[in-house]
Amino acid sequence: MPEKTRPNGPARTPPPTRPAWLSWLMRIVLWGLGIAAAGAASLVCVIAVALAVAYPNLPDISELADYRPKLPLRVFSSEGTLIGEFGEERRNLTPIATIPKMMKDAVLAAEDARFYDHGGVDYKGLVRAGLANMNRVKSQGASTITMQVARNVYLSSEKTLTRKIYEVLLTFKLEHLLSKDQIFEIYLNQIYLGNRAYGFAAASEAYFGKPLKDITIAQAAMLAGLPKAPGANNPVNNPARARGRQLYVIDRMQEAGFITAEQAAEAKKEELHLRDAADPTRLHAEYVAETVRQLMYAQYGDSTYTRGLKVYTTLVAADQAAAYRALRKGIMDYERRQIYRGPEKFVDLPADPKELDEAVDDALADHPDNGDVMSAVVLRVSAKEINAVRGNGDTLQIIGDGLRPAQSGLSDKAPPNIRIRRGAVIRVVKTPKNTWEITQLPEVEGAFIALDPRDGAVKAMVGGFDFDKNKFNHVTQAWRQPGSSFKPFIYSAALEKGFTPGTVVNDAPLFFDAGTTGGQPWEPKNYDGTFEGPMSLRRALARSKNMVSIRVLQSIGTRYAQDWISNFGFEREKHPAYLPMALGAGSVTPMQMATAYSVFANGGYRVNPYLVTRITDHKDKVLVETQPPLLNEAMRAIPQRNAFIMDSLLQEVARSGTAAKAQATLKRPDLYGKTGTTNDSLDAWFAGFQPTMAAVAWMGYDTPRKLGDRETGGGLSLPIWISFMETAIKGVPVAELNTAPSGVVNVGGEWYYDDYAPGRGVATLGVEAGPTPPAEAISGVPVSPAPPPEERNRILEFFRN
């Protein structure tokens, strides 16, 4: 039979059968994809719900548009030199436009080179960091600058998934609401950089002692390396690690194209000099800064330390530096004459050189350098030589005259607490000849104040030898007896009672019985123990004759004198109306004395000292501004003719009297002043002025004790005053005594009130020109009544001395 064929063509081959395993695989894949898709959808839903819940709970960042961190109180000199900073954090809010490009580039290179390209989360950086960490190469982080802002401003430092989610969400929110420059500005001002410094401007001051605008590439790289680990990378705490981080940042700056290879090489070679807190060249005005802090706190309360107040003072940096140096030198010169009190501490030093450095560091930890008075540990000692090592590792040799101040400690017979031996912690100073001298921290204290007598502006104020050692401000807080420096105010009172510079008063012995003093008999003496007989008031003041001052006070009356001195700003109750007032037995502060002497310097006007000229907020908006007062008759304290004649008398003191060293050293005639030394040399003073500067120096012990039998105001305080004036009035034109005012005449080379000039008054009992003083002014018979019981205790001690 013929073969049958399909009508439409040849027969089709049946499809091959699919293996069973492949069918199952496809089903599993399809099911897996379905489950994954469902899971992804569920995850998206969960994330959406989480975002919906979490996003509204994110912190409100609208305030960052006007970023206002807690800013410290900052105090400046008149020229803008920073002299003090108060607050938990060092900050200096700096607009991004004023931050050097070099600093911004260094930060971007170190922390987030793609900051201006990504949207807050750097996905490329995440991948790169992940690969680097997986390959065990140097670990890399992936936090962008925006993420760091989110973390540092709003979030805690705990490492949890929840916090990380909030960090990412907050990052997106920041990027949405703020511009890149705003975010970067916050970062540059907010980030903590160690040493209490927040922000790069504060860190530049803290580490290098210079404004941010002046830093170099090498310094910028060092600062940019701090955010990663401000403790570990701190150049103060860990110089080696900080150096390694700095080199890394420089390389990154070059890789990013911010600097050239040549600039990178130069930056790597640059030697960095960190700011030294004990640097003797820095401006020391701690007492001024603390005074301002107290004034600001009284006005602004706790916000003083957070609102970024800037306070500008009347202080002149050069004058302040001169005052600080002069006072410290005067105190240390006095200290050289004192008995050596022995080393501050003794430690056992190991023989092993490797252990020695650590032992020295431990020994000096509690005995830091005090400015130019540095600490050291003795390594070897003999009668002719001391070898010691300082905290910085420098070894030094003390020989010859450098050993003289501590001779008593070099004797084999010295008591154990005095004897200098290996392991003794001693003090040393550098001499002008660049040699070393052994010394000791002083126990004596001092104060110096200088102000412009024309308006009361404080130009320099040093309240003690060292603020860290003793925060008591002796300029404003120390009530001390002024001694003979108070006599000019008694003489000023006497001019109004008819006395003249030519009036002759007897410098002869005086004796007061117990009935007069209210206690023990009193027989006052002159400092040198001699008496010169009758002399003019001009000569008596120049030679500081006590007997003459007492007789003058007897004549004019103690109650009158008490009233008169209040014109100068003295408190009446601090100066009981008894004869010891003539010798400065009352109580004054150095600030009061400077204010009082200003009355003589400015022609008879009383000015109030002031320190603050301007207060601004952190954006330099002026909150308070003080205008210097203009002298006017409402401020007059004493007649102009009184001030004129007193100037003539005080000029004589500085020319030929107890302060003659002033004109001899400074070589100018326009210097005026008076020395002061109290009983038993408990206090040493010099108060004086040049018409543009009134200044007062004081020395004494906080717990009053003798400075020494031969120590005087002329020997201790006058050199301090002269040293300061050498700087303060250098280049200031010489101002001779003003033209005689109305009511003053010159007769025979001496100045008189015209109504008390020779021939117009009655001269009797050795006192010429003017109303006849009581006979007691010559005879020595007291005219003051016995003090009441409540005043006796106050003056008993004075009489005993």
PDB file of all heavy atoms in Angstrom, residues 5 36 80 117 166 211 226 272 330 365 471 475 486 502 547 559 608 611 625 715 748:
ATOM      1  N   THR A   5       0.596  10.398   3.570  1.00  0.00           N
ATOM      2  CA  THR A   5       1.293  11.652   3.944  1.00  0.00           C
ATOM      3  C   THR A   5       0.297  12.643   4.529  1.00  0.00           C
ATOM      4  O   THR A   5      -0.898  12.583   4.237  1.00  0.00           O
ATOM      5  CB  THR A   5       1.929  12.303   2.694  1.00  0.00           C
ATOM      6  OG1 THR A   5       0.922  12.592   1.741  1.00  0.00           O
ATOM      7  CG2 THR A   5       2.970  11.358   2.115  1.00  0.00           C
ATOM      8  N   ALA A  36      11.547  37.470  47.462  1.00  0.00           N
ATOM      9  CA  ALA A  36      12.449  38.621  47.599  1.00  0.00           C
ATOM     10  C   ALA A  36      11.729  39.918  47.289  1.00  0.00           C
ATOM     11  O   ALA A  36      11.890  40.937  47.976  1.00  0.00           O
ATOM     12  CB  ALA A  36      13.654  38.450  46.683  1.00  0.00           C
ATOM     13  N   GLY A  80      43.569  95.290  70.903  1.00  0.00           N
ATOM     14  CA  GLY A  80      42.953  94.066  70.421  1.00  0.00           C
ATOM     15  C   GLY A  80      43.707  92.807  70.764  1.00  0.00           C
ATOM     16  O   GLY A  80      43.375  91.725  70.274  1.00  0.00           O
ATOM     17  N   ASP A 117      30.290  67.530  46.360  1.00  0.00           N
ATOM     18  CA  ASP A 117      29.750  66.729  45.263  1.00  0.00           C
ATOM     19  C   ASP A 117      28.645  65.772  45.692  1.00  0.00           C
ATOM     20  O   ASP A 117      27.783  65.425  44.883  1.00  0.00           O
ATOM     21  CB  ASP A 117      30.874  65.928  44.596  1.00  0.00           C
ATOM     22  CG  ASP A 117      31.938  66.829  43.998  1.00  0.00           C
ATOM     23  OD1 ASP A 117      31.570  67.908  43.490  1.00  0.00           O
ATOM     24  OD2 ASP A 117      33.131  66.470  44.058  1.00  0.00           O
ATOM     25  N   TYR A 166      19.392  57.520  62.770  1.00  0.00           N
ATOM     26  CA  TYR A 166      19.072  58.923  63.019  1.00  0.00           C
ATOM     27  C   TYR A 166      20.130  59.837  62.405  1.00  0.00           C
ATOM     28  O   TYR A 166      19.818  60.914  61.897  1.00  0.00           O
ATOM     29  CB  TYR A 166      18.962  59.178  64.519  1.00  0.00           C
ATOM     30  CG  TYR A 166      17.573  58.985  65.059  1.00  0.00           C
ATOM     31  CD1 TYR A 166      17.178  57.782  65.634  1.00  0.00           C
ATOM     32  CD2 TYR A 166      16.641  60.019  64.992  1.00  0.00           C
ATOM     33  CE1 TYR A 166      15.895  57.602  66.122  1.00  0.00           C
ATOM     34  CE2 TYR A 166      15.354  59.853  65.485  1.00  0.00           C
ATOM     35  CZ  TYR A 166      14.982  58.647  66.051  1.00  0.00           C
ATOM     36  OH  TYR A 166      13.707  58.481  66.512  1.00  0.00           O
ATOM     37  N   PRO A 211      46.257  84.130  65.051  1.00  0.00           N
ATOM     38  CA  PRO A 211      44.937  84.059  64.407  1.00  0.00           C
ATOM     39  C   PRO A 211      44.952  83.108  63.233  1.00  0.00           C
ATOM     40  O   PRO A 211      45.989  82.885  62.598  1.00  0.00           O
ATOM     41  CB  PRO A 211      44.676  85.511  63.983  1.00  0.00           C
ATOM     42  CG  PRO A 211      46.016  86.151  63.929  1.00  0.00           C
ATOM     43  CD  PRO A 211      46.856  85.475  64.957  1.00  0.00           C
ATOM     44  N   LEU A 226      43.322  66.914  63.562  1.00  0.00           N
ATOM     45  CA  LEU A 226      42.820  66.746  64.930  1.00  0.00           C
ATOM     46  C   LEU A 226      41.418  66.145  65.032  1.00  0.00           C
ATOM     47  O   LEU A 226      41.159  65.377  65.962  1.00  0.00           O
ATOM     48  CB  LEU A 226      42.865  68.088  65.668  1.00  0.00           C
ATOM     49  CG  LEU A 226      44.266  68.628  65.977  1.00  0.00           C
ATOM     50  CD1 LEU A 226      44.181  70.050  66.524  1.00  0.00           C
ATOM     51  CD2 LEU A 226      44.983  67.727  66.978  1.00  0.00           C
ATOM     52  N   LEU A 272      57.275  73.192  63.466  1.00  0.00           N
ATOM     53  CA  LEU A 272      56.152  73.843  64.136  1.00  0.00           C
ATOM     54  C   LEU A 272      56.537  74.230  65.557  1.00  0.00           C
ATOM     55  O   LEU A 272      57.143  73.441  66.286  1.00  0.00           O
ATOM     56  CB  LEU A 272      54.932  72.921  64.168  1.00  0.00           C
ATOM     57  CG  LEU A 272      54.355  72.519  62.808  1.00  0.00           C
ATOM     58  CD1 LEU A 272      53.076  71.728  62.998  1.00  0.00           C
ATOM     59  CD2 LEU A 272      54.082  73.751  61.950  1.00  0.00           C
ATOM     60  N   GLY A 330      61.562  93.564  90.371  1.00  0.00           N
ATOM     61  CA  GLY A 330      61.734  94.183  91.680  1.00  0.00           C
ATOM     62  C   GLY A 330      61.586  93.179  92.808  1.00  0.00           C
ATOM     63  O   GLY A 330      62.352  93.199  93.785  1.00  0.00           O
ATOM     64  N   ALA A 365      56.236  67.608  88.108  1.00  0.00           N
ATOM     65  CA  ALA A 365      54.818  67.722  87.754  1.00  0.00           C
ATOM     66  C   ALA A 365      54.090  68.704  88.657  1.00  0.00           C
ATOM     67  O   ALA A 365      53.225  69.466  88.203  1.00  0.00           O
ATOM     68  CB  ALA A 365      54.148  66.357  87.815  1.00  0.00           C
ATOM     69  N   LYS A 471      45.727  84.636  93.668  1.00  0.00           N
ATOM     70  CA  LYS A 471      44.732  85.375  92.880  1.00  0.00           C
ATOM     71  C   LYS A 471      44.234  86.634  93.582  1.00  0.00           C
ATOM     72  O   LYS A 471      43.420  87.366  93.030  1.00  0.00           O
ATOM     73  CB  LYS A 471      43.561  84.450  92.533  1.00  0.00           C
ATOM     74  CG  LYS A 471      43.944  83.343  91.558  1.00  0.00           C
ATOM     75  CD  LYS A 471      42.792  82.412  91.269  1.00  0.00           C
ATOM     76  CE  LYS A 471      43.139  81.442  90.145  1.00  0.00           C
ATOM     77  NZ  LYS A 471      44.363  80.666  90.384  1.00  0.00           N
ATOM     78  N   VAL A 475      46.192  95.307  94.057  1.00  0.00           N
ATOM     79  CA  VAL A 475      45.919  96.672  93.595  1.00  0.00           C
ATOM     80  C   VAL A 475      44.597  97.172  94.149  1.00  0.00           C
ATOM     81  O   VAL A 475      44.485  98.322  94.598  1.00  0.00           O
ATOM     82  CB  VAL A 475      45.916  96.743  92.057  1.00  0.00           C
ATOM     83  CG1 VAL A 475      45.351  98.079  91.579  1.00  0.00           C
ATOM     84  CG2 VAL A 475      47.326  96.553  91.524  1.00  0.00           C
ATOM     85  N   PHE A 486      51.839 109.177 102.067  1.00  0.00           N
ATOM     86  CA  PHE A 486      50.592 109.865 102.383  1.00  0.00           C
ATOM     87  C   PHE A 486      50.826 111.328 102.776  1.00  0.00           C
ATOM     88  O   PHE A 486      49.892 112.131 102.787  1.00  0.00           O
ATOM     89  CB  PHE A 486      49.881 109.130 103.524  1.00  0.00           C
ATOM     90  CG  PHE A 486      48.442 109.506 103.710  1.00  0.00           C
ATOM     91  CD1 PHE A 486      47.456 109.050 102.840  1.00  0.00           C
ATOM     92  CD2 PHE A 486      48.045 110.320 104.765  1.00  0.00           C
ATOM     93  CE1 PHE A 486      46.130 109.395 103.009  1.00  0.00           C
ATOM     94  CE2 PHE A 486      46.715 110.667 104.944  1.00  0.00           C
ATOM     95  CZ  PHE A 486      45.751 110.207 104.062  1.00  0.00           C
ATOM     96  N   GLY A 502      57.783 127.629 101.724  1.00  0.00           N
ATOM     97  CA  GLY A 502      58.871 128.263 102.457  1.00  0.00           C
ATOM     98  C   GLY A 502      58.654 128.328 103.950  1.00  0.00           C
ATOM     99  O   GLY A 502      59.538 128.793 104.687  1.00  0.00           O
ATOM    100  N   MET A 547      58.908 114.439 111.908  1.00  0.00           N
ATOM    101  CA  MET A 547      58.590 115.410 112.960  1.00  0.00           C
ATOM    102  C   MET A 547      57.892 116.635 112.373  1.00  0.00           C
ATOM    103  O   MET A 547      56.965 117.184 112.967  1.00  0.00           O
ATOM    104  CB  MET A 547      59.865 115.858 113.699  1.00  0.00           C
ATOM    105  CG  MET A 547      60.657 114.729 114.339  1.00  0.00           C
ATOM    106  SD  MET A 547      59.711 113.724 115.498  1.00  0.00           S
ATOM    107  CE  MET A 547      59.477 112.256 114.538  1.00  0.00           C
ATOM    108  N   ARG A 559      40.956 116.812 112.517  1.00  0.00           N
ATOM    109  CA  ARG A 559      39.613 116.722 111.923  1.00  0.00           C
ATOM    110  C   ARG A 559      39.575 117.414 110.559  1.00  0.00           C
ATOM    111  O   ARG A 559      38.966 116.918 109.612  1.00  0.00           O
ATOM    112  CB  ARG A 559      38.585 117.367 112.850  1.00  0.00           C
ATOM    113  CG  ARG A 559      38.412 116.653 114.173  1.00  0.00           C
ATOM    114  CD  ARG A 559      37.798 115.271 113.990  1.00  0.00           C
ATOM    115  NE  ARG A 559      37.629 114.588 115.266  1.00  0.00           N
ATOM    116  CZ  ARG A 559      37.253 113.327 115.405  1.00  0.00           C
ATOM    117  NH1 ARG A 559      37.017 112.600 114.319  1.00  0.00           N
ATOM    118  NH2 ARG A 559      37.140 112.780 116.594  1.00  0.00           N
ATOM    119  N   ASN A 608      37.700 109.085  88.183  1.00  0.00           N
ATOM    120  CA  ASN A 608      37.463 107.719  88.640  1.00  0.00           C
ATOM    121  C   ASN A 608      38.131 106.741  87.683  1.00  0.00           C
ATOM    122  O   ASN A 608      37.945 106.836  86.465  1.00  0.00           O
ATOM    123  CB  ASN A 608      35.959 107.433  88.709  1.00  0.00           C
ATOM    124  CG  ASN A 608      35.273 108.249  89.783  1.00  0.00           C
ATOM    125  OD1 ASN A 608      35.787 108.398  90.882  1.00  0.00           O
ATOM    126  ND2 ASN A 608      34.108 108.783  89.455  1.00  0.00           N
ATOM    127  N   LEU A 611      38.115 100.834  83.306  1.00  0.00           N
ATOM    128  CA  LEU A 611      38.870  99.793  82.626  1.00  0.00           C
ATOM    129  C   LEU A 611      38.234  99.355  81.306  1.00  0.00           C
ATOM    130  O   LEU A 611      38.925  98.997  80.364  1.00  0.00           O
ATOM    131  CB  LEU A 611      39.001  98.574  83.559  1.00  0.00           C
ATOM    132  CG  LEU A 611      39.904  97.432  83.148  1.00  0.00           C
ATOM    133  CD1 LEU A 611      41.325  97.922  82.897  1.00  0.00           C
ATOM    134  CD2 LEU A 611      39.904  96.359  84.231  1.00  0.00           C
ATOM    135  N   GLU A 625      29.452 101.266  75.111  1.00  0.00           N
ATOM    136  CA  GLU A 625      30.672 101.996  74.757  1.00  0.00           C
ATOM    137  C   GLU A 625      30.853 103.138  75.737  1.00  0.00           C
ATOM    138  O   GLU A 625      29.909 103.886  76.013  1.00  0.00           O
ATOM    139  CB  GLU A 625      30.604 102.509  73.323  1.00  0.00           C
ATOM    140  CG  GLU A 625      31.932 103.047  72.825  1.00  0.00           C
ATOM    141  CD  GLU A 625      32.012 103.063  71.306  1.00  0.00           C
ATOM    142  OE1 GLU A 625      30.955 102.987  70.654  1.00  0.00           O
ATOM    143  OE2 GLU A 625      33.133 103.130  70.771  1.00  0.00           O
ATOM    144  N   GLY A 715      64.192 102.137  97.925  1.00  0.00           N
ATOM    145  CA  GLY A 715      65.051 101.043  97.489  1.00  0.00           C
ATOM    146  C   GLY A 715      64.300  99.899  96.840  1.00  0.00           C
ATOM    147  O   GLY A 715      64.857  99.191  95.996  1.00  0.00           O
ATOM    148  N   GLY A 748      61.172 135.375  95.309  1.00  0.00           N
ATOM    149  CA  GLY A 748      62.491 134.861  95.675  1.00  0.00           C
ATOM    150  C   GLY A 748      62.712 133.426  95.234  1.00  0.00           C
ATOM    151  O   GLY A 748      63.432 132.678  95.906  1.00  0.00           O
TER     152      GLY A 748
END
